[in-house]
Amino acid sequence: RCAPVRTRPAGRGWVYAMPVTYKIFPDYALLVTWPTGLVSSDELIEAYRKVYADPQLRPGFHELVDLRRVSAFDVSADAFRTIAGMTEAFEDGAATRTAMLVDRTMIEIISRLYQSIADIGETEVVAQFTGLAEALAWLERSDFPPELLERGNLTGTAGPGS
């Protein structure tokens, strides 16, 4: 488990950024990520470096990003471009879908920013959803058991210090 990382935005007190947790479900060709708390550019880039280095992940796996536990984003457009470029390089032409679960307007706006950047590439298609069943259906993973997404079943983590 990752320890919180201290970050200090300009002009503010200390803020603790929480890790980005992920789990790969090879039987379902699915990557699930859970960013929580304050999400920063550096943390998100480092998390995806670790995700793409994980030997269980294969090109063509779809991704479910659960943004419902994010309290704030401090992520730049450049960071989103970096992550989209990492995705393009990893996928190497394989078509993939990323479903983003959102529940607040701010998070939806941020996910749309990433969607617009990812759409520039040729392999990743991104969409937002408010319901898990709808997101899994769009990912063509309706057979995925939702109980596997419960906190007690998470073992893979990415982020500073993991």
Side-chain angles (χ1 to χ4, degrees):
R1 198 104 187 145
C2 301
V5 175
R6 269 193 323 198
T7 62
R8 188 173 193 167
R12 297 187 211 141
W14 288 104
V15 178
Y16 287 87
M18 298 303 292
V20 176
T21 304
Y22 77 96
K23 183 158 182 164
I24 298 166
F25 297 91
D27 292 345
Y28 296 93
L30 184 65
L31 163 66
V32 181
T33 54
W34 293 269
T36 57
L38 168 69
V39 179
S40 70
S41 293
D42 291 343
E43 178 183 52
L44 201 57
I45 289 169
E46 181 61 23
Y48 275 93
R49 280 190 181 120
K50 290 183 180 189
V51 165
Y52 289 130
D54 192 311
Q56 290 188 71
L57 188 64
R58 301 278 185 260
F61 278 27
H62 292 323
E63 181 178 8
L64 175 66
V65 182
D66 188 344
L67 297 168
R68 297 175 296 178
R69 292 187 181 105
V70 172
S71 59
F73 269 100
D74 186 13
V75 180
S76 68
D78 284 341
F80 282 134
R81 277 191 283 279
T82 298
I83 294 165
M86 290 166 43
T87 302
E88 285 281 321
F90 178 82
E91 294 299 339
D92 195 29
T96 185
R97 290 182 172 195
T98 299
M100 295 191 173
L101 274 175
V102 298
D103 67 356
R104 293 189 315 274
T105 303
M106 176 194 71
I107 304 305
E108 184 177 346
I109 290 167
I110 296 297
S111 70
R112 286 190 191 281
L113 172 62
Y114 179 76
Q115 178 181 11
S116 66
I117 292 169
D119 284 348
I120 295 168
E122 297 179 12
T123 61
E124 185 180 18
V125 178
V126 180
Q128 294 81 31
F129 300 91
T130 56
L132 178 60
E134 182 184 27
L136 289 171
W138 183 78
L139 292 171
E140 300 172 343
R141 302 296 185 268
S142 294
D143 60 336
F144 183 84
E147 61 272 11
L148 291 179
L149 300 179
E150 294 171 8
R151 282 257 185 228
N153 293 321
L154 308 181
T155 57
T157 59
S162 63

